[in-house]
């Protein structure tokens, strides 16, 4: 883990709270990480992605954040794609091809796209080791950020091969 942390991410140590979350994820345990903004929640799925056999699917309601994280991972040499409504036709085609052929290591998508049966079929073509739900507070029906499609995520776990689940929120 320390080698990947240094060689891939250029970091010498983890921030408080990250090690416990990453260890649970690597052990395949369902994990809820509630960490302050700027505490490094994204590394809690990015680092395990580099150590697990299969791919990671990240479900996020925030397309702008998804874009930033995807670009950052690509800059580090990690094949990451985003599949969402902001993709133009060519980007969408390239991202879906990377999902279908297994070359995408991290697949970032919205809960609404994850709920689409055709997209699920693409995902199931290759093993998924981790399903990360970013901005997990959006699952709550009592919040102003509620996204009904998030409720489908739990039902999809078996279909996606029962990957480890990590929910992240501030």
């Amino acid at each position: 883990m320390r080698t990947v942390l240094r060689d891939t991410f250029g970091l010498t140590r983890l921030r408080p709270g990250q090690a416990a979350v990453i260890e649970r994820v690597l052990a395949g345990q369902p994990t809820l990480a509630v960490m302050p903004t700027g505490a490094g929640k994204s590394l809690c799925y990015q680092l395990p992605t580099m150590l697990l056999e299969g791919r990671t699917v990240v479900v996020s309601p925030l397309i702008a954040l998804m874009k930033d994280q995807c670009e950052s991972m690509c800059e580090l040499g990690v094949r990451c794609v985003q599949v969402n409504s902001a993709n133009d036709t060519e980007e969408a085609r390239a991202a879906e091809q990377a999902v279908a052929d297994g070359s995408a290591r991290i697949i970032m998508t919205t809960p609404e796209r994850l709920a689409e049966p055709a997209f699920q079929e693409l995902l199931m073509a290759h093993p998924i080791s981790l399903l990360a739900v970013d901005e997990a507070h959006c699952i709550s029906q009592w919040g102003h950020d509620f996204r009904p499609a998030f409720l489908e995520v739990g039902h999809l776990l078996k279909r996606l091969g029962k990957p480890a689940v990590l929910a992240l929120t501030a």
Side-chain angles (χ1 to χ4, degrees):
M1 181 166 60
R2 298 221 181 274
T3 301
V4 171
L5 182 66
R6 182 190 64 237
D7 295 349
T8 302
F9 299 97
L11 301 171
T12 57
R13 60 188 156 98
L14 295 170
R15 293 179 184 170
Q18 287 178 319
V21 172
I22 291 168
E23 288 169 9
R24 286 184 56 87
V25 169
L26 291 173
Q29 298 174 323
T31 304
L32 170 62
V34 181
M35 302 166 77
T37 300
K41 290 182 290 295
S42 298
L43 189 66
C44 292
Y45 69 80
Q46 293 168 345
L47 181 59
T49 294
M50 306 306 297
L51 298 169
L52 295 169
E53 291 291 321
R55 305 180 298 170
T56 294
V57 175
V58 179
V59 183
S60 175
L62 303 175
I63 292 174
L65 179 62
M66 198 183 306
K67 181 180 184 307
D68 290 345
Q69 291 175 348
C70 192
E71 287 173 358
S72 295
M73 291 308 295
C74 289
E75 287 174 12
L76 294 173
V78 178
R79 183 71 196 270
C80 181
V81 297
Q82 55 178 328
V83 181
N84 58 56
S85 62
N87 291 4
D88 65 30
T89 304
E90 186 57 35
E91 288 171 324
R93 190 178 351 260
E96 289 181 3
Q97 180 59 41
V99 172
D101 68 22
S103 62
R105 192 82 168 108
I106 298 177
I107 302 154
M108 305 190 92
T109 193
T110 60
E112 292 79 13
R113 188 62 190 265
L114 182 65
E116 294 176 8
F119 186 63
Q120 293 168 23
E121 291 296 322
L122 281 177
L123 288 174
M124 292 184 325
H126 301 277
I128 298 169
S129 296
L130 176 60
L131 178 67
V133 179
D134 204 2
E135 304 296 331
H137 62 275
C138 294
I139 296 169
S140 172
Q141 294 183 46
W142 300 282
H144 70 280
D145 292 337
F146 175 58
R147 300 275 289 266
F150 268 119
L151 295 177
E152 298 301 314
V153 174
H155 302 295
L156 295 173
L157 290 175
K158 185 175 180 182
R159 188 161 193 223
L160 297 176
K162 296 183 182 175
V165 177
L166 170 62
L168 303 149
T169 193

